[in-house]
């Protein structure tokens, strides 16, 4: 395509935006509302996914070592656990350390057990995939010198099921919103182009090619996508900044963290801008196609 033709298409697309101001406003508003809904839901879903991943990472198997086990027995047991393909790390915690943790969490009353510590030495096992935890615990429990292997049986499986369902539901809702957006924007742009069908028919009759007619409309879709994404980007950026400033310090004490403002807000800005452009161009492409057949 020649530079002069490109300039002509750009000029025509800008003129068209000015001539059809109200229709363009309606189309840009549809993009704005849709991207705002998608953006807000995307922020919620990504942060829920982050929190879910953090919770999953905290799932571990606590292997209570038999009181009769000697040092060489403990070393052999550790090596055997580490050789399991699903295991990521194995950390030893002495019964003295376990008692100190109990005192820190439950108070000085637990100091009564310092003279006669009833606790076990423990191996804290983390798996490569949190969902492998139940299977690994069951396998370890069959090893020699293992008193028990605890991981929160019953509760962990329910947690994994809830997290899996929430992720799948979130993904389906985002995809549903995107298709709704495309349908809404396509129909809005279709009304805009329908009002200009005479203009398209005249251009066809004087010999203009389909692509010559199509390019200004595609560029209009591009501008609509960019214009429509500006407000959602600003709302999401400032909204997430204040939300992060308010929630991050409060959640930190609970060992739960939301996504950092930087780089997350810049990533979602890029996603919303790209979505706006693609939706605008797609809407123009789908809408003009039928009017090129005269």
């Amino acid at each position: 395509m020649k530079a002069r033709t490109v300039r002509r298409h750009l000029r025509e697309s800008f003129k068209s935006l000015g001539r059809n101001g109200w229709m363009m406003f309606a189309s840009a508003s549809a993009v704005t509302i849709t991207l705002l809904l998608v953006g807000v839901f995307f922020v919620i879903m990504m942060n829920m996914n982050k929190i879910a991943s953090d919770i999953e990472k905290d799932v571990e198997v606590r292997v209570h070592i038999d009181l009769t086990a000697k040092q060489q027995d403990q070393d052999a047991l550790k090596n055997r656990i580490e050789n399991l393909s699903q295991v990521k790390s194995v950390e030893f915690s002495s019964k003295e350390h376990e008692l100190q943790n109990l005192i820190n969490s439950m108070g000085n009353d637990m100091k009564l057990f310092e003279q006669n510590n009833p606790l076990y030495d423990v191996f804290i096992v983390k798996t490569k995939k949190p969902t492998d935890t139940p299977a690994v615990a069951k396998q370890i429990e069959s090893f020699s010198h293992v008193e028990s292997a605890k991981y929160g049986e019953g509760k962990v499986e329910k947690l994994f099921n809830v997290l899996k369902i929430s992720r799948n539901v979130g993904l389906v809702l985002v995809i549903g919103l995107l298709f709704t957006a495309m349908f809404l924007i396509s129909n809005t742009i279709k009304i805009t182009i329908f009002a200009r069908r005479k203009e398209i028919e005249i251009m066809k009759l004087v010999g203009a090619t389909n692509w010559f007619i199509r390019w200004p409309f595609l560029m209009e879709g591009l501008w609509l996508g960019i214009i429509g994404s500006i407000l959602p980007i600003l709302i999401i950026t400032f909204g997430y900044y204040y939300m992060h400033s308010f929630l991050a310090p409060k959640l930190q004490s609970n060992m739960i963290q939301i996504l950092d403002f930087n780089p997350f807000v810049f990533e979602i800005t890029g996603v919303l801008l790209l979505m706006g452009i693609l939706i605008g161009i797609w809407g123009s492409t789908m809408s003009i196609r039928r009017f090129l057949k005269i």
Side-chain angles (χ1 to χ4, degrees), residues 40-83:
V40 169
F41 193 81
F42 192 71
V43 167
I44 294 171
M45 191 185 76
M46 291 301 292
N47 277 285
M48 285 183 63
N49 191 57
K50 168 72 165 58
I51 293 170
S53 296
D54 290 343
I55 293 172
E56 284 180 335
K57 288 176 184 176
D58 287 337
V59 175
E60 59 191 21
V61 182
R62 297 182 61 83
V63 182
H64 294 162
I65 305 169
D66 195 311
L67 295 174
T68 61
K70 298 179 181 178
Q71 185 59 51
Q72 57 266 34
D73 298 325
Q74 290 188 12
D75 293 340
L77 177 59
K78 183 179 181 182
N79 288 334
R80 193 174 180 187
I81 295 172
E82 287 176 332
N83 287 331

Side-chain angles (χ1 to χ4, degrees), residues 55-56 59-61 130-139 141 149-167:
I55 293 172
E56 284 180 335
V59 175
E60 59 191 21
V61 182
T131 50
D132 288 336
T133 302
V136 169
K138 188 174 182 180
Q139 195 170 356
E141 206 160 26
K150 300 184 181 296
Y151 65 94
E153 186 175 359
K155 294 180 181 178
V156 167
E157 286 86 351
K158 289 179 181 178
L159 172 65
F160 288 153
N161 286 334
V162 169
L163 295 179
K164 183 178 178 181
I165 291 170
S166 65
R167 283 168 173 162

Side-chain angles (χ1 to χ4, degrees), residues 1-2 16 62 71 79 81 89 138 186 196 216 221 272:
M1 188 185 298
K2 294 180 180 179
S16 179
R62 297 182 61 83
Q71 185 59 51
N79 288 334
I81 295 172
S89 65
K138 188 174 182 180
S186 175
R196 298 163 62 187
L272 290 177

Side-chain angles (χ1 to χ4, degrees), residues 22 48 56-57 102 110 121 144 163 215 223 235 253:
W22 283 109
M48 285 183 63
E56 284 180 335
K57 288 176 184 176
L102 201 60
M110 295 296 105
D121 290 330
S144 301
L163 295 179
W215 270 111
W223 305 135
I235 292 174
S253 59

Side-chain angles (χ1 to χ4, degrees), residues 59-61 63 81 87 89-90 123-127 136 140:
V59 175
E60 59 191 21
V61 182
V63 182
I81 295 172
V87 170
S89 65
V90 181
F123 283 130
I124 301 170
V125 181
K126 287 188 175 290
T127 56
V136 169
I140 291 174

